[in-house]
């Protein structure tokens, strides 16, 4: 892929002080167009700028769009690393297939990420717990109000120096198990990373926030009985010594952190079960003292301990609302690999320089 690079002549000041999540953007962005009959073309890196689209652009009306999320880390050795970007490239195409967006060559996805991160590598924050969040996305740009797949698209990558996703950092979060609204059903697009899934989740998230919980844990859309995933992360439990997580069933996102945590836990000798977990099973395990830990996994959330789970009138306090030993060890290991503090025997990290 030939990438034309135009650098800014007016670099912005870098942020100082505590970084939040997703509020500050770097000096450059990657862009590439798709046109039916021509394929993906005009790969370029330009100064960060607003984009201009016709009000009839299809993305505004029927939500034909996808996004990804990954991070670049500045290691303790000064090297820049990505975490399994080839999995984001593959998931992009799984999402694209579901949304009738054209396939994007996976090597081009990775090359584009590497190129734009290299141009803005001075923006990768170095403080403990920080990274450069990378947000690739594709939008449908045809000027047309009919319901059909667009024939033109824009692929864009923007970068955001970020700190912890949750205000509380590594302190355990409280999670609301939603018993009214549902997010996705099998055959729908729950497994895809597309805006519509997140739009569908907002109403329950607002309700959960109003009640003092930070995120929503979704139940399956049919029986409303089985645990699915959280708003921005997959969910794991440690029950009676075993690591348990919902199986991939088409309605949850196949998280890259989820996949990595399973591999790491197995390498430590844990029995890991990917299966259906009912909310009743959790309540019973809690009553029997077997629900030892609960944590979420995600690129933005990393490993996020859950200290409180609410379902209707049941409020389960897990591990005294403290981070458990497995959650802490996983956080240290995953971030240790990302920041180059521990040797990567899993083959997860990709150096950029
Ligand atoms: N589930 C949802 C709904 C998400 O938005 C995310 C975040 O990307 C995840 C799970 C975790 O996926 P990953 O570990 O690939 O970031
Ligand atoms: C990520 O972890 O990369 C995500 O996409 C979560 C996001 C919805 C904030």
């Amino acid at each position: 892929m030939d990438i034309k690079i135009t650098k800014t002549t007016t670099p912005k000041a870098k942020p100082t002080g505590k970084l939040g999540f997703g509020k500050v953007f770097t000096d450059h962005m990657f862009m590439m167009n798709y046109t039916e009959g021509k394929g993906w073309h005009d790969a370029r890196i330009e100064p960060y700028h607003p984009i201009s689209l016709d009000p009839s652009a299809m993305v505004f009306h029927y939500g034909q769009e996808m996004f990804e999320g990954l991070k670049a880390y500045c290691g303790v050795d000064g090297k820049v690393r990505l975490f399994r970007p080839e999995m984001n490239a593959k998931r992009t195409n799984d999402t694209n297939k579901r949304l009738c967006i054209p396939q994007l060559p996976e090597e081009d996805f990775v090359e584009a990420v590497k190129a734009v991160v290299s141009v803005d590598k001075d923006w990768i924050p170095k403080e403990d717990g920080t990274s450069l969040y990378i947000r690739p996305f594709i939008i449908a740009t045809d000027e047309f109000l009919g319901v059909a797949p667009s024939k033109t698209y824009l692929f864009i990558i923007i970068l955001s120096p970020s700190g912890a996703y949750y205000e509380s950092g590594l302190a355990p979060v409280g999670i609301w198990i939603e018993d009214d609204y549902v997010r996705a059903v099998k055959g729908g697009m729950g497994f895809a990373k597309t805006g519509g899934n997140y739009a569908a989740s907002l109403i329950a998230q607002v309700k959960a926030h109003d009640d003092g919980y930070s995120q929503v844990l979704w139940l399956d859309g049919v029986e409303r009985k089985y645990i699915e995933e959280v708003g921005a992360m997959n969910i794991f439990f440690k029950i009676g010594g075993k690591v348990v997580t919902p199986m991939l069933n088409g309605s949850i996102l196949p998280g890259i952190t989820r996949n990595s945590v399973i591999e790491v836990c197995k390498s430590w000798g844990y029995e890991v079960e990917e299966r259906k977990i009912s909310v009743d099973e959790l309540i019973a395990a809690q009553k029997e003292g077997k629900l030892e830990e609960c944590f979420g996994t995600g690129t933005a959330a990393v490993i996020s301990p859950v200290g409180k789970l609410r379902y209707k009138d049941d409020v389960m306090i897990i591990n005294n609302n403290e981070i458990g030993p497995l959650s802490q060890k996983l956080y240290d290991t995953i971030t240790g690999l990302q920041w180059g503090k521990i040797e990567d025997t899993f083959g997860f990290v990709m150096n950029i320089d």
Side-chain angles (χ1 to χ4, degrees), residues 280-352:
D280 291 344
E281 175 185 344
L282 285 187
I283 293 168
Q286 159 76 4
K287 291 203 169 122
E288 289 165 26
K290 288 189 188 154
L291 182 55
E292 295 155 14
E293 288 187 45
C294 174
F295 55 91
T297 64
T299 299
V302 198
I303 303 293
S304 182
V306 176
K308 187 161 88 163
L309 273 176
R310 165 272 172 204
Y311 177 68
K312 295 185 178 168
D313 294 331
D314 276 297
V315 176
M316 298 172 249
I317 301 292
I318 300 158
N319 194 44
N320 258 334
N321 203 16
E322 284 164 17
I323 180 164
L326 176 62
S327 313
Q328 182 74 58
K329 192 170 166 200
L330 280 166
Y331 178 85
D332 293 342
T333 303
I334 298 285
T335 57
L337 292 166
Q338 292 166 338
W339 287 316
K341 290 182 188 167
I342 50 183
E343 195 198 341
D344 179 19
T345 51
F346 298 97
F348 286 165
V349 296
M350 183 186 280
N351 284 9
I352 282 209

Side-chain angles (χ1 to χ4, degrees), residues 91 193 198 229-234 253 255-257 297-299:
R91 192 168 63 188
K193 211 157 163 59
Y198 297 80
E229 66 178 329
V230 183
M233 50 190 198
N234 295 109
L253 192 79
I256 294 160
T257 322
T297 64
T299 299

Side-chain angles (χ1 to χ4, degrees), residues 21 67-71 88 91 133-135 165 193 198 231-233 253 257 297-302:
F21 176 80
F67 71 93
E68 267 299 328
L70 65 162
K71 285 173 171 172
N88 298 89
R91 192 168 63 188
Y133 186 77
I134 306 167
R135 171 51 61 85
Y165 184 65
K193 211 157 163 59
Y198 297 80
M233 50 190 198
L253 192 79
T257 322
T297 64
T299 299
V302 198

Side-chain angles (χ1 to χ4, degrees), residues 110 137 173 188 207 229 346:
V110 175
F137 62 104
V173 292
K207 190 168 69 169
E229 66 178 329
F346 298 97

